[in-house]
């Protein structure tokens, strides 16, 4: 009588369990050869998985140098980043951000990382690092560090410092963290229009006394809603008066255009009149006005704001003026049809919210009725 065997497929490709014995087997079909089945001589899943990995490497004859450290990947990685910048895949600000996160990994979350041999790579040590990193940094920054490690490991595979199969196995310990929307931004208390006007006058006064043009940057951010980095890359030729548009050439999610709002156009006219230049010159020559904002906020006794707060003010003012969310999102350069704007920029200042609430009526008033009396609220 022919003996039957019950095979159970595991979540690992090519790894099977023989139910009758409880042992694990490898089943693989090498290129140009018949299917191969081998016992891994263990009933332990973790051991079987590691033995399978080693055996697959032997079968595929993966030739790697086996040398190098994490630190040896830094220069190839930086060179790769420069190449991505030339291709337009990333911006310089992204490179700066990645380099800053690299410093966090090297100095704060993985002591001795740069000298650790790549041969010691494992799912266990990546998972241990991930826990340490998450304890010190938010989910967004942790995910940025994960991306960097993945990029460097991809280069290690490309340069034959590590086998692809080994890297793929180790990356099981490097899963991305869930990112919730920033509650600080969603509940941000922004200054009222009168306070913003007072702050603006104080900034103009201080910049005039110092002989700087930082106040123009303040107005530009407030009247256009663009990010500070994007504003610093706007050229004079990016102002298209005939179309009524301002071209934002460098932005987080790619180039986009914003309308030449009346106050924005007046500001641009003033800049070009007081400071003429060539079409290829930057429209704004100031990179930051943050120090002046800090001092002005302290002088006026108001909550400190920064460059990005002006983008919040722009979006909030648009929403208060009745502009629909998808339009606001397009003015901010978002590419998600308004999802982010709804969750992050859809908040209104408390005073405006309360004013609107007082105008709300959910049922039409019936002639000859007294709702308070009917509800027993009004005293006889």
């Amino acid at each position: 009588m022919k003996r039957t065997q019950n095979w159970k497929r595991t979540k690992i490709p090519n790894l099977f369990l023989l139910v009758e014995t409880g042992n694990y087997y490898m089943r693989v079909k090498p290129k140009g050869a018949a299917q191969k089945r081998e016992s891994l001589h263990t009933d332990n899943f973790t051991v079987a998985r590691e033995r399978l990995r080693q055996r697959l490497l032997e079968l595929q004859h993966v030739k790697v140098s086996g040398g190098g450290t994490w630190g040896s990947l830094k220069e190839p990685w930086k060179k790769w980043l420069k190449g991505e910048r030339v291709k337009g895949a990333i911006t310089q600000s992204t490179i700066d951000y990645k380099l800053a996160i690299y410093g966090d990994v090297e100095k704060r979350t993985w002591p001795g990382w740069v000298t650790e041999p790549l041969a010691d790579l494992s799912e266990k040590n990546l998972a241990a690092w991930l826990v340490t990193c998450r304890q010190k940094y938010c989910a967004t920054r942790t995910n940025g560090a994960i991306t960097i490690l993945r990029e460097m490991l991809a280069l290690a595979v490309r340069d034959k410092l590590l086998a692809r199969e080994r890297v793929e196995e180790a990356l099981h310990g490097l899963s991305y963290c869930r990112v919730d929307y920033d509650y600080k931004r969603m509940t941000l208390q922004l200054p009222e229009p009168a306070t913003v006007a007072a702050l603006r006058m104080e900034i103009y006064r201080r910049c005039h006394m110092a002989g700087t043009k930082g106040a123009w940057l303040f107005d530009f951010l407030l009247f256009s809603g663009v990010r500070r980095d994007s504003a610093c890359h706007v050229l004079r030729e990016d102002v298209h008066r005939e179309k009524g548009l301002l071209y934002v050439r460098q932005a987080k999610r790619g180039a986009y255009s914003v309308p030449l709002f009346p106050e924005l156009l007046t500001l641009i006219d003033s800049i070009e009149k007081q400071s003429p230049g060539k079409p290829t010159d930057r429209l704004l020559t100031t990179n930051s006005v943050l120090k002046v904002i800090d001092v002005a906020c302290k002088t006026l006794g108001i909550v400190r704001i920064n460059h990005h707060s002006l983008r919040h003010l722009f979006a909030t003012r648009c929403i208060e003026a009745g502009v629909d969310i998808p339009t606001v999102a397009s003015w901010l350069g978002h590419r998600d049809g308004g999802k982010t704007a709804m969750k992050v920029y859809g908040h209104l200042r408390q005073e405006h919210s309360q004013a609107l609430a007082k105008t709300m009526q959910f049922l039409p008033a019936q002639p000859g009725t007294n709702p308070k009396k009917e509800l027993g609220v009004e005293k006889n």
Side-chain angles (χ1 to χ4, degrees), residues 74-299:
K74 182 177 182 179
E75 291 307 316
W77 174 67
K78 289 173 66 176
K79 184 177 179 181
W80 174 79
L81 287 177
K82 290 181 180 179
E84 293 297 293
R85 175 70 181 92
V86 171
K87 293 189 293 185
I90 59 176
T91 63
Q92 183 59 46
S93 60
T94 299
I95 294 178
D96 295 339
Y97 179 69
K98 285 178 177 286
L99 291 175
I101 295 179
Y102 177 94
D104 293 339
V105 178
E106 180 179 350
K107 299 175 183 178
R108 300 195 61 190
T109 62
W110 197 335
W113 176 59
V114 293
T115 58
E116 183 166 323
L118 291 173
D120 292 344
L121 177 71
S122 69
E123 178 181 347
K124 182 178 179 180
N125 60 20
L126 288 181
W129 166 81
L130 180 58
V131 172
T132 302
C133 188
R134 188 62 183 89
Q135 288 173 341
K136 295 185 177 182
Y137 294 104
C138 66
T140 300
R141 199 165 182 88
T142 299
N143 287 342
I146 291 173
T147 298
I148 289 173
L149 295 190
R150 285 178 171 269
E151 290 170 350
M152 298 180 82
L153 288 174
L155 293 175
V157 172
R158 182 200 68 181
D159 296 339
K160 299 190 182 301
L161 297 174
L162 285 171
R164 183 181 302 277
E165 291 76 14
R166 180 167 189 178
V167 170
E168 290 176 351
E169 181 71 21
L171 286 177
H172 285 109
L174 209 58
S175 57
Y176 284 102
C177 305
R178 176 181 174 181
V179 178
D180 295 321
Y181 277 93
D182 188 351
Y183 75 94
K184 290 183 180 179
R185 290 197 297 172
M186 296 172 67
T187 60
L188 180 65
Q189 294 297 312
L190 297 170
E192 295 299 320
T195 304
V196 176
L199 175 62
R200 178 175 178 268
M201 293 303 296
E202 180 66 15
I203 289 173
Y204 263 87
R205 185 182 71 83
R206 290 183 174 276
C207 289
H208 178 72
M209 290 175 59
T212 67
K213 301 174 182 177
W216 285 347
L217 175 60
F218 180 90
D219 274 357
F220 190 87
L221 299 179
L222 181 63
F223 298 155
S224 68
V226 305
R227 294 180 175 84
R228 183 202 62 82
D229 182 66
S230 299
C232 293
H233 286 85
V234 172
L235 306 181
R236 294 172 184 265
E237 64 184 7
D238 294 332
V239 180
H240 300 281
R241 298 173 184 273
E242 69 284 356
K243 297 180 180 179
L245 295 173
L246 172 72
Y247 180 65
V248 184
R249 62 177 58 241
Q250 180 165 315
K252 187 176 181 180
R253 295 176 177 83
Y256 68 100
S257 297
V258 295
L260 287 173
F261 305 103
E263 289 168 301
L264 177 59
L265 184 57
T266 300
L267 170 66
I268 293 173
D269 289 340
S270 178
I271 293 174
E272 293 183 340
K273 182 179 179 180
Q274 297 181 46
S275 180
K278 297 182 295 184
T280 54
D281 288 343
R282 282 175 50 180
L283 181 65
L284 301 163
T285 56
T286 305
N287 292 326
S288 174
V289 70
L290 191 57
K291 289 184 179 180
V292 182
I293 294 176
D294 286 343
V295 176
C297 287
K298 187 175 181 179
T299 301

